[in-house]
Amino acid sequence: MDLLNQTPQELAGMMRELGQPAYRGAQVFDWLHKGARSAGEMTNLPKALREALQFTPPTVVERQVSRDKTEKLLFRLEDGQTVEAVLMHYQTGKTICVSTQVGCRQGCAFCASTIGGMARDLTAGEILGQVLHCGTPVDRVVLMGIGEPLENFDATTRFLSLINDPAGRNMSLRNVTVSTCGLVPRILELSELRLPVTLSVSLHAPDNETRDLLMPINRKYPVEELIHSCEIYFDKTCRRMTYEYVMIDAINDTLGHARALGLLLKGRPAHVNLIPLNAVAGRESFRPSPAPAVERFAAALSAKGVSTTVRRRLGSDIQAACGQLRRERLAL
């Protein structure tokens, strides 16, 4: 029973079906979002109801801690599948990076998450469970772990509703970031919801030739079409776009690429995160850009007036950095 997937209204209906007053649904929702791991913890419910409510939230079965205090969490799901999440500690609070699918089918050439393909989508409850059962309250959530959130669109948007619900965690959606490799129709569909979430687009190249090499999705939705959908997203939501750009030696890190990216984004409400490539077993043909190349690239973007940050490499020693999460173990 995926209780974490249910809204307060749905739980109220479930209570009526079980012969209980509807208000019990609000009590169950409150317990779930406080992190209850079993119905036995819900002490204000009748014993018979507690015995009837069986659920298995995502469970941390392995926790690795990086030198920089970043934590990688291996979650086991009810059917034995596993996904990874990453808990990052900042001076401004804690951020958790969660997965939305078991594996990924997008095939980005530099990413570990696509190795082994995809087993299935997560439910909204399984996404939420990573937040609620990571072992500590968090301040921000990023849907940037394993999987493509917008391919699992219904579960992703249901998760946003659940995490934002005033009766639960009541997290502001301004503290939530949704990533995408560039599924244009889904970006447009998300824009129609006018949610104040930050949309983070994995761009990684300013031109179609280079992006085709790195990201198969570009052959279906090329750069020009992607950027246009992002303009529409901004117009609908007034949320500045974030573009992720993995820096790969001799592939996408030349000054020519920097100037092309600067021209592409100049004058647009955008911020670029430059991410030196993190090592991935099985992707040894790609190497991270040297630090001087990253610095030159950032300077060239800044010269075009494009807001730019070089992202810190958190958790790379435990394979928890960007692009390193993977579907390694299918059952524990």
Side-chain angles (χ1 to χ4, degrees):
M1 187 182 298
D2 192 359
L3 292 181
L4 282 172
N5 200 51
Q6 307 302 307
T7 66
Q9 295 76 22
E10 290 166 342
L11 287 171
M14 181 186 298
M15 293 302 107
R16 286 191 288 266
E17 291 177 2
L18 291 172
Q20 296 287 331
Y23 73 82
R24 295 292 188 198
Q27 291 177 316
V28 172
F29 190 84
D30 179 62
W31 278 109
L32 291 171
H33 287 248
K34 286 178 177 176
R37 302 200 58 81
S38 71
E41 298 176 34
M42 303 178 185
T43 53
N44 59 348
L45 302 184
K47 181 180 178 181
L49 179 57
R50 295 199 303 270
E51 291 174 349
L53 295 178
Q54 301 295 323
F55 71 102
T56 305
T59 302
V60 175
V61 292
E62 185 177 297
R63 184 184 299 263
Q64 296 174 265
V65 182
S66 166
R67 290 186 297 267
D68 59 37
K69 307 303 182 185
T70 296
E71 300 176 51
K72 184 166 73 169
L73 313 173
L74 181 68
F75 280 95
R76 183 174 59 212
L77 308 177
E78 188 171 10
D79 63 355
Q81 296 282 1
T82 58
V83 293
E84 292 181 322
V86 178
L87 184 63
M88 294 162 283
H89 302 265
Y90 299 100
Q91 290 184 345
T92 55
K94 298 174 183 176
T95 297
I96 189 168
C97 174
V98 299
S99 295
T100 55
Q101 296 176 312
V102 182
C104 183
R105 68 169 110 246
Q106 299 306 317
C108 298
F110 51 85
C111 184
S113 296
T114 194
I115 297 172
M118 192 190 84
R120 67 171 176 85
D121 289 329
L122 297 189
T123 67
E126 290 171 326
I127 302 170
L128 178 65
Q130 296 169 69
V131 180
L132 299 180
H133 297 291
C134 67
T136 184
V138 299
D139 303 286
R140 290 173 296 276
V141 177
V142 293
L143 281 69
M144 288 185 179
I146 300 168
E148 164 55 56
L150 295 191
E151 185 179 40
N152 191 11
F153 189 85
D154 290 343
T156 292
T157 52
R158 175 176 274 254
F159 161 78
L160 296 174
S161 176
L162 290 171
I163 198 73
N164 180 237
D165 196 298
R169 284 298 173 97
N170 194 26
M171 179 176 286
S172 169
L173 293 184
R174 293 181 179 274
N175 292 331
V176 179
T177 297
V178 175
S179 72
T180 179
C181 66
L183 300 185
V184 167
R186 294 304 198 184
I187 292 173
L188 297 176
E189 189 174 353
L190 185 64
S191 74
E192 291 298 326
L193 300 179
R194 289 176 165 80
L195 301 175
V197 299
T198 297
L199 185 63
S200 179
V201 175
S202 296
L203 188 57
H204 308 316
D207 62 278
N208 289 316
E209 181 180 3
T210 307
R211 199 165 189 265
D212 282 351
L213 173 69
L214 298 174
M215 305 182 72
I217 193 66
N218 195 70
R219 297 165 199 155
K220 189 170 185 179
Y221 306 115
V223 170
E224 298 81 8
E225 191 174 346
L226 174 59
I227 295 299
H228 180 61
S229 72
C230 292
E231 289 182 323
I232 293 173
Y233 185 86
F234 173 77
D235 289 342
K236 299 280 190 180
T237 66
C238 297
R239 297 291 287 167
R240 182 179 71 166
M241 299 300 305
T242 296
Y243 293 98
E244 309 295 325
Y245 197 101
V246 168
M247 300 287 293
I248 307 173
D249 185 32
I251 300 291
N252 66 351
D253 65 345
T254 68
L255 280 178
H257 289 111
R259 293 182 183 117
L261 182 61
L263 288 173
L264 182 67
L265 299 182
K266 184 178 181 180
R268 302 182 192 275
H271 180 81
V272 175
N273 282 322
L274 299 179
I275 309 166
L277 179 72
N278 294 295
V280 171
R283 304 294 197 213
E284 287 82 4
S285 60
F286 294 110
R287 301 180 305 275
S289 301
V294 177
E295 292 170 6
R296 286 193 297 269
F297 201 100
L301 288 180
S302 296
K304 293 291 185 182
V306 177
S307 174
T308 306
T309 300
V310 178
R311 182 176 289 175
R312 294 168 57 198
R313 303 176 75 174
L314 297 178
S316 60
D317 58 310
I318 56 170
Q319 300 289 296
C322 292
Q324 291 183 318
L325 299 189
R326 62 198 302 158
R327 177 184 161 225
E328 291 186 293
R329 284 163 282 190
L330 301 185
L332 292 175

